[in-house]
Amino acid sequence: MTKKQISQTTPQATCAVTRDDGGVRVALAGDWRMGAAIPDVKAVATALQDAGKPSALTFESAGVTGWDSRLLAFCLRIMRLAEAAGVAVDTSGLPEGAGSLMELAVKVPERKGAAKADVSESFLGQVGGAVLGTGQAVSNLLEFLGEVTMACGSFVRGRAVFQRSQLMLHIKQAGIDALPIVSLISLLVGLILAFVGAIQLQQFGAQIYVSTIVGIAMVRVMGAIMTGIIMAGRTGAAYAAELGTMQVNEEIDALRTFGFSPTEFLVLPRLIALVLMMPLLCIYADLMGVLGGFIVGSLMLGINPVQYFSNTWQSVPLANFWIGLVHSTVFGVLVALAGCYRGMRCGRSALAVGQAATSAVVTSILAIIIATAIITVVCNILGV
């Protein structure tokens, strides 16, 4: 009986392949745990391809000092080579437990589509996929808006099912809890508007009109816009994260199972709370912006405080106040809908929750800008 031995050694793991007339024997030794350098399977492939088809392939593992999934992956590659060559494999020589795992890995076939295929899609295919995805997104949005409309109708009729205590909690979170950040941002915006306006007006000796610039800008649009952006980043993202987490934990599915409408139970209280609080926050932001302009006017320009507030009151028409309230109400609806929509359409993973919160903020800000442009054009057409 002639023997031909092919061996390959690595610092931490060894694989000695012996070929004789009876078959191929693979002797494993050393440390086969994660981080260890493992041999190549070329020696086994060479032994299987030598003259004469071997009857079987066996393993020996008496010298193995430690192993984990790296040993299983290495043996699985060998088994696939033997299967391609039509050689039977005996796994009884593997370490205790490894043989049964190998048999299980071989018996259970890989699910089709589980592995991600590296397929380069054509340009037209990408365009078509984007169009189909856009159509599906529009369909989902219209479906969500329809559910919200039905929920609002149920609320008007007094048939909406939700927790009143949760409504009060959302009102507190969207209103009182938002006062500090609204105060800071609005005050700074008023300061900036007054400072920029003062630099230009001082050239003409018309510093008193700083109050007019700050008053009209804050009351008509800036107070509402800044409040809307703040609530988009603060409350809209929170709504998306809360509802997205409920989606991941299957709480929304549980509500449907018990016969509750998730839109009424979860979306409606948040929508009502934000719509009620946004006009109040807008009025508060207007006052803080005027206060910021007053600080600049009185400290930098030496304007009399009574004169400053009197000029502000006289130069800001009441129509601007109502336009600002319309802005804020529309922004409240948009921010609440964007946050709840992204949360209700969230995937079932932690990554999806983060993406939903990010999408809610981006969608809310984009909707605020578009709504501002539309309202401004309408007001211009009406001459307001």
Side-chain angles (χ1 to χ4, degrees), residues 354-378:
Q355 291 175 342
T358 303
S359 300
V361 176
V362 174
T363 304
S364 300
I365 294 177
L366 180 61
I368 287 172
I369 300 302
I370 295 175
T372 303
I374 294 174
I375 296 174
T376 301
V377 172
V378 172

Side-chain angles (χ1 to χ4, degrees), residues 141-216:
L141 178 60
L142 294 177
E143 179 183 358
F144 176 75
L145 293 177
E147 293 175 354
V148 172
T149 303
M150 294 178 62
C152 292
S154 299
F155 175 75
V156 171
R157 295 192 304 269
R159 299 180 180 178
V161 179
F162 61 88
Q163 293 178 314
R164 268 58 180 179
S165 59
Q166 288 295 315
L167 174 60
M168 299 306 299
L169 176 62
H170 292 311
I171 289 176
K172 176 181 176 296
Q173 292 175 345
I176 299 175
D177 294 348
L179 289 179
I181 185 63
V182 172
S183 303
L184 177 62
I185 299 300
S186 301
L187 182 66
L188 293 177
V189 169
L191 287 169
I192 294 171
L193 288 175
F195 184 77
V196 173
I199 294 176
Q200 301 300 322
L201 293 175
Q202 276 182 327
Q203 301 178 10
F204 307 98
Q207 298 92 326
I208 187 60
Y209 292 106
V210 167
S211 60
T212 302
I213 294 175
V214 175
I216 293 178

Side-chain angles (χ1 to χ4, degrees), residues 215-216 219-220 283 286 312-326 384:
I216 293 178
V219 173
R220 186 179 180 93
I283 296 174
D286 295 342
T312 301
W313 180 265
Q314 295 175 4
S315 60
V316 179
L318 187 61
N320 290 341
F321 174 77
W322 292 111
I323 291 174
L325 289 186
V326 171
V384 181

Side-chain angles (χ1 to χ4, degrees), residues 143-144 146-152 154 159-163 243 251-270 344:
E143 179 183 358
F144 176 75
E147 293 175 354
V148 172
T149 303
M150 294 178 62
C152 292
S154 299
R159 299 180 180 178
V161 179
F162 61 88
Q163 293 178 314
L243 297 180
E251 297 177 41
I252 296 178
D253 295 337
L255 286 175
R256 292 193 178 97
T257 301
F258 283 109
F260 294 101
S261 170
T263 305
E264 290 185 8
F265 201 84
L266 300 175
V267 176
L268 189 59
R270 291 170 168 82
M344 296 291 287

Side-chain angles (χ1 to χ4, degrees), residues 244-323:
T245 304
M246 291 182 181
Q247 189 76 271
V248 172
N249 295 334
E250 299 182 353
E251 297 177 41
I252 296 178
D253 295 337
L255 286 175
R256 292 193 178 97
T257 301
F258 283 109
F260 294 101
S261 170
T263 305
E264 290 185 8
F265 201 84
L266 300 175
V267 176
L268 189 59
R270 291 170 168 82
L271 177 62
I272 295 173
L274 202 54
V275 171
L276 291 177
M277 288 297 102
M278 276 294 291
L280 300 179
L281 289 174
C282 178
I283 296 174
Y284 180 74
D286 295 342
L287 296 176
M288 294 304 298
V290 171
L291 178 60
F294 166 76
I295 293 174
V296 173
S298 60
L299 296 181
M300 283 186 57
L301 306 178
I303 301 175
N304 184 276
V306 176
Q307 185 181 9
Y308 184 93
F309 284 116
S310 175
N311 192 62
T312 301
W313 180 265
Q314 295 175 4
S315 60
V316 179
L318 187 61
N320 290 341
F321 174 77
W322 292 111
I323 291 174

